[in-house]
Structure formats: structure tokens, C-alpha cells
């Protein structure tokens, strides 16, 4: 499982405050703790469209000074911001995200093709709005694949995000997600499937029960990457447990070693 740490997101109140006051200690601490929670990438999202590039540049410099090997998921709606940030990163990371919205693939696929090692999250979304069926998602998937082929982007560099909507307002939210995931996984074994899973529980109480159920259900249906809170030890336990069940972790070696290191926070 590839884990993308979600915590450095300016839509979270405490993070927004730290951004406003340029609290470097807060940002450095949150990056360090997510990396201790085995995050493979650190997602950075400013939440402030007008100072997007400036805020992300500040975070990138701070975090890569502490962790020279860190890889970022650059989370911005603005392709120009993403392009600037890519130049600033010492290590290749993930572009979060492209979609079929006008101008996105045209700007970001050539940059990714040129820059070694960069991966790309692609949302199954176009200018007609949020997809409301498995069929529409698959249609958008074909559009993304066609564009990726045109720019020479290999399938194993693509992280497809089929999009999740809350089951509080979209009763088929989970079923649409796994419907698309299964078809994609079956026809494209090398491609990654990712999700910012916590949308699934928006508007409901005790969200972590739903988020946890989603994580396991999605992993059983082809999801191999997730944007989540790596400080949440129960979720990390779920990741390791599901990997063992799926036989991605023979003889539970990784599970046992994570337990011994107290990654799950349950040892005395
Ligand atoms: N797809 C892609 N990118 C994304 C999303 C997606 N980026 C943004 C978002 N969705 C994923 N990131 C977050 C970040 C924080 C929260 C939810 C999604 C959040 N955090 C709470 C907090 O930290 O206070 C609670 C965390 C918890 O309890 O687990 O709500 O869908 N490509």
C-alpha cells in the first residue's frame, strides 16, 4: 500500500492557522510525524488560491531541509503552481492532480513525461462535472488513458482516483467507487488506484468507523494507494491487516514488524 499523508492541508483549521502565522515548527512537526507513520508521500495543499505557490514553496523548503529524501504530493487546483513546485522539489513526487478539465493534461502530462520519476494522480472528472455513475467514470478513465498514451506516460506512473462521495448524500458512493476500481484493476494490472477516502463519511457522526470500513472494502477491490491520516494508528493497523489478508505480506512479516515497532500504538 502506498500511503500519502493528508495532514498538511490548509482546509484543516489548525493548519490554516499555522500557514497564516508561518509557524514553521508546526509544519516540520506534522511532516516528521507523518513520515514516522510510514507515509510514502507528504501531501501539501495550501487552501489559499491566491497565495498557493508561495505557501507550498515555503512548506517544501522547510520539510526537505529536515528530510532530504522526502517526496511530496503537490495538491493544487492550479497547474501552474504544480509546475513551479515540481522544479523546487529535490526528489520526484506526485502531481495531485490532473483530470479531463480543460488545460490540465495538456500542461501537466508533458511536464511529467519530461521529469524522471514523477507520478500523477488523475481524477475521473471532466468539464461536465462530478461523475454520477460507474459508466461515466470509465468513460473518463478512457479519456485519461488516451491522453497518457499521447504523451508517453507509462501506466505504472498513473494513480487513478475514481472519486468518492459521501454515503450520507450519495447512497451509491462506495459502490460506484469499487465498480470502477474493479474494472480498472482487471484490465490494467500495473496502474495504481488511489482515494482521498475520508469524503466517504462527510456529514456523518463517528466518521472513523466508516472510513475504516471503506479502507478495507476498497483494498479488497483493487485500491493500492490512499490519501489518509498516518497519525491514525487504527487506520494503519487496517492497512497492514488487509495487506496480510490479500497475501501481499507473506507470513505477515511486515505486519509483525510494524507491531514490534509499535506502529499501531498498542504495546505497553
Ligand atoms: N483526492 C485527491 N486529493 C485530495 C482528495 C481526494 N486532496 C484533498 C483531500 N481529498 C484529501 N485530504 C484530506 C485532508 C484532511 C482531511 C480530509 C482529507 C480531514 N482531516 C481531519 C483532520 O485532520 O482534522 C480529520 C482526519 C481524520 O480523522 O482521519 O478531514 O479525494 N486526489
Amino acid at each position: 500500500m502506498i500511503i500519502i499523508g493528508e495532514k498538511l492541508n490548509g482546509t484543516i483549521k489548525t493548519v490554516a492557522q499555522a500557514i497564516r502565522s508561518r509557524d514553521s515548527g508546526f509544519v516540520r512537526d506534522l511532516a516528521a510525524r507523518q513520515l514516522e507513520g510510514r507515509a510514502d508521500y507528504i501531501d501539501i495543499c495550501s487552501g489559499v488560491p491566491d497565495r498557493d505557490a508561495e505557501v507550498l514553496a515555503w512548506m517544501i523548503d522547510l520539510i526537505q531541509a529536515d528530510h532530504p529524501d522526502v517526496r511530496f504530493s503537490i495538491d493544487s487546483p492550479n497547474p501552474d503552481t504544480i509546475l513551479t513546485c515540481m522544479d523546487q522539489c529535490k526528489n520526484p513526487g506526485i502531481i495531485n492532480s490532473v483530470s479531463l478539465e480543460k488545460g490540465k493534461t495538456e500542461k501537466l502530462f508533458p511536464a511529467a513525461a519530461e521529469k524522471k520519476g514523477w507520478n500523477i494522480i488523475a481524477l475521473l472528472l471532466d468539464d461536465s462535472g462530478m461523475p454520477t455513475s460507474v459508466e461515466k467514470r470509465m468513460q473518463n478513465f478512457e479519456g485519461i488513458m488516451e491522453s497518457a498514451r499521447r504523451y508517453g506516460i507509462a501506466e505504472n506512473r498513473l494513480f487513478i482516483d475514481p472519486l468518492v462521495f459521501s454515503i450520507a448524500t450519495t447512497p451509491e458512493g462506495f459502490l460506484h467507487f469499487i465498480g470502477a476500481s474493479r474494472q480498472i484493476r482487471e484490465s490494467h494490472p500495473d496502474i495504481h488506484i488511489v482515494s482521498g477516502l475520508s469524503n466517504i463519511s462527510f456529514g456523518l457522526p463517528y466518521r472513523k468507523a466508516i472510513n475504516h470500513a471503506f479502507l478495507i472494502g476498497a483494498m479488497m477491490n483493487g485500491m493500492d494507494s490512499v490519501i489518509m491520516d498516518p497519525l491514525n494508528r487504527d487506520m494503519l493497523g487496517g492497512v497492514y491487516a488487509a495487506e496480510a489478508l490479500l497475501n501481499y505480506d507473506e507470513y505477515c512479516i511486515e505486519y509483525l514488524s510494524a507491531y514490534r515497532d509499535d506502529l499501531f500504538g498498542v504495546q505497553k
Side-chain angles (χ1 to χ4, degrees):
M1 194 73 167
I2 298 166
I3 297 177
I4 304 171
E6 73 179 14
K7 299 296 282 187
L8 281 172
N9 190 310
T11 62
I12 301 173
K13 260 195 193 149
T14 49
V15 179
Q17 178 54 42
I19 289 173
R20 271 196 300 274
S21 58
R22 291 293 189 274
D23 184 347
S24 53
F26 182 98
V27 170
R28 292 172 60 194
D29 176 61
L30 215 39
R33 284 160 56 213
Q34 292 188 92
L35 292 168
E36 280 162 24
R38 309 262 170 107
D40 298 288
Y41 295 89
I42 301 289
D43 191 77
I44 46 170
C45 172
S46 78
V48 280
D50 52 329
R51 322 196 75 160
D52 201 16
E54 181 197 326
V55 168
L56 297 185
W58 171 66
M59 287 192 190
I60 291 170
D61 278 344
L62 273 178
I63 298 167
Q64 58 187 15
D66 288 344
H67 311 279
D69 296 331
V70 71
R71 292 186 292 171
F72 293 102
S73 157
I74 303 173
D75 191 344
S76 168
N78 182 342
D80 292 317
T81 299
I82 294 180
L83 291 176
T84 323
C85 289
M86 286 171 79
D87 284 334
Q88 203 187 337
C89 292
K90 288 191 191 130
N91 306 302
I94 302 192
I95 292 168
N96 187 11
S97 54
V98 306
S99 70
L100 293 174
E101 291 164 295
K102 204 169 168 6
K104 289 233 165 158
T105 56
E106 293 86 341
K107 264 199 176 157
L108 292 170
F109 273 165
E114 205 176 281
K115 289 211 160 208
K116 244 178 111 176
W118 278 85
N119 293 325
I120 307 146
I121 294 179
L123 310 179
L124 297 187
L125 177 74
D126 66 9
D127 283 314
S128 72
M130 295 294 175
T132 55
S133 65
V134 172
E135 291 67 34
K136 181 62 187 170
R137 283 172 171 80
M138 293 313 295
Q139 199 183 319
N140 290 342
F141 174 68
E142 293 309 329
I144 289 286
M145 296 314 288
E146 199 182 295
S147 182
R149 276 191 294 273
R150 198 172 331 126
Y151 292 104
I153 308 279
E155 288 189 3
N156 62 6
R157 297 175 65 187
L158 285 173
F159 287 62
I160 302 297
D161 183 341
L163 299 173
V164 283
F165 303 118
S166 173
I167 49 168
T169 48
T170 310
E172 327 85 330
F174 174 70
L175 297 175
H176 285 168
F177 180 90
I178 60 164
S181 296
R182 280 191 201 152
Q183 287 188 40
I184 294 168
R185 174 58 64 238
E186 204 159 277
S187 53
H188 297 78
D190 294 335
I191 221 161
H192 298 286
I193 298 174
V194 68
S195 151
L197 78 141
S198 57
N199 279 359
I200 195 71
S201 59
F202 199 75
L204 290 165
Y206 195 43
R207 292 180 66 177
K208 64 183 183 183
I210 296 168
N211 293 350
H212 201 273
F214 176 90
L215 172 77
I216 308 303
M219 285 181 73
M220 298 295 153
N221 286 282
M223 184 177 81
D224 68 346
S225 174
V226 65
I227 306 171
M228 65 170 239
D229 177 4
L231 310 184
N232 180 336
R233 301 301 157 127
D234 292 337
M235 286 290 272
L236 274 185
V239 167
Y240 279 79
E243 291 206 314
L245 291 173
L246 287 163
N247 194 22
Y248 297 148
D249 177 16
E250 238 177 32
Y251 303 110
C252 306
I253 304 229
E254 300 294 333
Y255 180 85
L256 290 167
S257 122
Y259 176 76
R260 271 196 302 270
D261 297 345
D262 202 22
L263 190 68
F264 309 141
V266 291
Q267 303 231 48
K268 287 185 196 82

